[in-house]
Amino acid sequence: MAAGEHAVTAGTKPAPVSFARSLLRTKPVDRIVAEGGQGEGGELRRTMGLLQLTLFSVGATLGTGIFVVLGEAVPLAGPAVVLSFVLAAVTALFSALSYAELAGTIPVSGSSYSYSYATLGELVAWVCGWCLLLEYAVSVSAVAVGWGAYLSAFFDDAAGFTIPAALAGPPGEGGVVNVPAVVVVLLAMFLLLRGTSESATANTIMVFLKIGVLLFFCAVAFTAFRSGNLSPFAPMGWAGISAAGSKVFFSYIGFDAASTAGEEAKNPRRDLPLAIVLSLAIVTTVYVLVGLAAVAAMHWTRFSLSGSEASLAEVLNVATGRTWPSMILSLGAVIAIASVVLTVMYGQTRILFAMSRDGLVPDVFQKVSPRRRVPVANTVIVAAFIGTLGAVVPLGRLVDATSIGTLFAFALVSVGVIVLRRTRPDLPRSFRTPLYPLTPLAGVGFCVYLMVGLGGVTWTVFALWSLVGLAAYFLYGRRHSRLAGGPSGRSAP
């Protein structure tokens, strides 16, 4: 057992430790892996293969970002936005390689929360899990809000029908309640309650459909290819490419979704690392193709005039002069966003499942239905929380804070690789991060660089969110931690 790890045998209390040391206690990797799949009342079922895991990550990543990000990024970089996507992909790759190593070494549902618990200690793990709540729950609420806008656009193009404003937005933004946001969350909830296999099948279908729609966009846009639109290629130079890279990086958030399925994968040590790297490669290819097709079909100066949410639709209007391609694109956006809601909600429930099993959040989140083999109460609670946020809360700056929370979690994963290599070099690793330690160090550096570049308001919101999380830990999590022998319904194995 590595230094600093504290085992708790069934029915015994651990030896007293100082307050500072108690915050740094790590959970033994062997124990984390041994508990995999176990919940109160039942176990999760291993049903997901490499294809399903890969498409879960693609489903969580390939969504709202690509449909709106070009309108914000192209005015910063010009046609060189294609390089911005590559720059962002390289940045994401450093974190992805670290995720791949830890996912193959610690194949459990907790993702970066569990990795931090095994390497950096309980307090850091809690903060990481709290950041993941911000990344998953709040961001998917915002995504659900956007789903209604695209659904309304599709209805308008297809049937001339527009969802009434009172039912399409929250108070303060011209509405009373955002009904579409609630609908898409409920649809995702019912799918998740049916079972992991059924959810994975639905996601696979949606991912193939939305990739098909984006390839359709590329095919149509390339018919209007104008080489003159690509000159000058980088009107704002490297500074513009870098600034746009910071914008488009957030289109890559979600590739870590496969790591939350570690306890429902058939062969997690082999498939999780492959799924993470493959999903990033697929998403990067699609983004570069869409970016190139868009700037080649419509001059980059027009993107600032079209509005970010309408940029791809405007490209198709320029390329064809007709409305039906835009209708197909709107349908693709509806499918894409529904897939993101489904996969991100899944990831959120599995992270809470792992935290509950450790005693840091209430036991209700780890209760598994013996018949369905899914955490039913967990899923319903998460859906209610996300649906409420999407229905009545204008998220505003809180949504911006999801990016900084994600970057913080990514940086912790890279640090975790370094720590685990030093403390447990004996562990079997199905994947090893190449060019160690340069790759994880670069991952930390890129994440910190992007975090520093975020606005002061974002940092303030993140600080407040962290303070609330610390209060929750000291009032509940620390006292109920199973690693510390706190009150629990199950003894450690």
Side-chain angles (χ1 to χ4, degrees):
M1 185 178 295
E5 294 181 344
H6 301 270
V8 181
T9 27
T12 65
K13 285 272 189 178
V17 295
S18 68
F19 176 76
R21 285 179 61 84
S22 71
L23 301 180
L24 299 176
R25 57 190 169 221
T26 57
K27 186 175 181 181
V29 173
D30 297 336
R31 177 175 166 183
I32 293 177
V33 175
E35 290 178 350
Q38 300 177 29
E40 185 176 324
E43 295 185 6
L44 302 178
R45 181 184 287 120
R46 294 189 180 276
T47 60
M48 298 176 70
L50 178 60
L51 177 64
Q52 291 89 349
L53 290 169
T54 302
L55 295 185
F56 245 74
S57 286
V58 174
T61 310
L62 194 62
T64 314
I66 191 58
F67 289 93
V68 303
V69 77
L70 279 177
E72 300 176 1
V74 172
L76 297 174
V81 71
V82 176
L83 296 182
S84 300
F85 276 113
V86 175
L87 174 63
V90 171
T91 303
L93 180 62
F94 288 121
S95 294
L97 293 173
S98 293
Y99 261 100
E101 175 167 332
L102 292 183
T105 308
I106 312 173
V108 293
S109 293
S111 185
S112 51
Y113 155 76
S114 292
Y115 309 153
S116 298
Y117 212 164
T119 57
L120 302 174
E122 185 172 281
L123 179 61
V124 176
W126 168 267
V127 173
C128 183
W130 192 251
C131 288
L132 290 174
L133 291 179
L134 186 64
E135 173 191 351
Y136 281 76
V138 179
S139 65
V140 81
S141 299
V143 167
V145 170
W147 190 76
Y150 286 110
L151 185 67
S152 184
F154 172 73
F155 284 154
D156 189 29
D157 289 336
F161 169 75
T162 302
I163 300 175
L167 302 179
E173 294 185 358
V176 176
V177 61
N178 193 322
V179 174
V182 177
V183 170
V184 71
V185 170
L186 289 177
L187 288 174
M189 182 190 75
F190 285 124
L191 268 175
L192 292 173
L193 290 178
R194 285 184 60 84
T196 301
S197 179
E198 292 82 355
S199 300
T201 299
N203 176 69
T204 297
I205 294 170
M206 287 190 284
V207 168
F208 278 121
L209 285 173
K210 65 183 177 182
I211 289 177
V213 167
L214 288 171
L215 292 179
F216 164 79
F217 167 84
C218 292
V220 173
F222 275 128
T223 63
F225 186 96
R226 300 289 184 272
S227 59
N229 288 341
L230 301 179
S231 181
F233 184 69
M236 270 69 73
W238 178 253
I241 295 172
S242 179
S246 295
K247 283 282 186 186
V248 302
F249 172 79
F250 306 114
S251 299
Y252 289 89
I253 291 173
F255 69 80
D256 57 324
S259 66
T260 66
E263 296 171 27
E264 290 160 286
K266 295 177 182 177
N267 190 347
R269 293 190 185 276
R270 183 198 68 184
D271 292 344
L272 289 179
L274 282 173
I276 291 170
V277 175
L278 283 173
S279 64
L280 185 60
I282 292 169
V283 167
T284 300
T285 301
V286 172
Y287 284 172
V288 170
L289 280 175
V290 170
L292 179 60
V295 295
M298 188 171 79
H299 197 269
W300 68 273
T301 56
R302 294 187 59 177
F303 279 82
S304 59
L305 303 175
S306 65
S308 62
E309 293 187 3
S311 57
L312 293 188
E314 182 64 19
V315 170
L316 292 183
N317 288 336
V318 169
T320 65
R322 301 174 182 176
T323 59
W324 66 266
S326 297
M327 181 180 70
I328 293 178
L329 185 73
S330 295
L331 177 61
V334 169
I335 295 171
I337 295 173
S339 176
V340 171
V341 172
L342 174 68
T343 51
V344 174
M345 275 183 60
Y346 168 87
Q348 177 67 88
T349 60
R350 273 32 179 196
I351 290 169
L352 284 169
F353 177 84
M355 295 178 73
S356 177
R357 190 167 55 202
D358 292 332
L360 301 185
V361 298
D363 282 348
V364 67
F365 290 100
Q366 66 151 326
K367 291 183 178 179
V368 175
S369 166
R371 183 170 65 89
R372 298 181 182 178
R373 305 283 285 274
V374 295
V376 173
N378 182 340
T379 303
V380 172
I381 293 170
V382 167
F385 178 72
I386 291 173
T388 300
L389 281 180
V392 301
V393 179
L395 300 177
R397 293 288 185 177
L398 188 57
V399 175
D400 297 336
T402 63
S403 299
I404 195 170
T406 304
L407 287 166
F408 182 76
F410 284 5
L412 290 180
V413 169
S414 296
V415 173
V417 168
I418 298 172
V419 172
L420 203 60
R421 286 279 190 105
R422 292 177 62 87
T423 59
R424 292 298 305 272
D426 58 304
L427 285 174
R429 290 169 169 82
S430 59
F431 178 88
R432 285 180 174 269
T433 301
L435 300 177
Y436 175 88
L438 296 179
T439 298
L441 287 174
V444 174
F446 273 100
C447 288
V448 171
Y449 172 76
L450 290 177
M451 289 173 71
V452 170
L454 294 171
V457 175
T458 300
W459 274 96
T460 301
V461 171
F462 180 63
L464 292 174
W465 176 264
S466 300
L467 288 174
V468 173
L470 289 173
Y473 171 73
F474 286 109
L475 291 174
Y476 183 91
R478 184 172 180 273
R479 294 190 298 110
H480 291 77
S481 168
R482 292 198 171 105
L483 195 61
S488 69
R490 293 191 310 129
S491 298

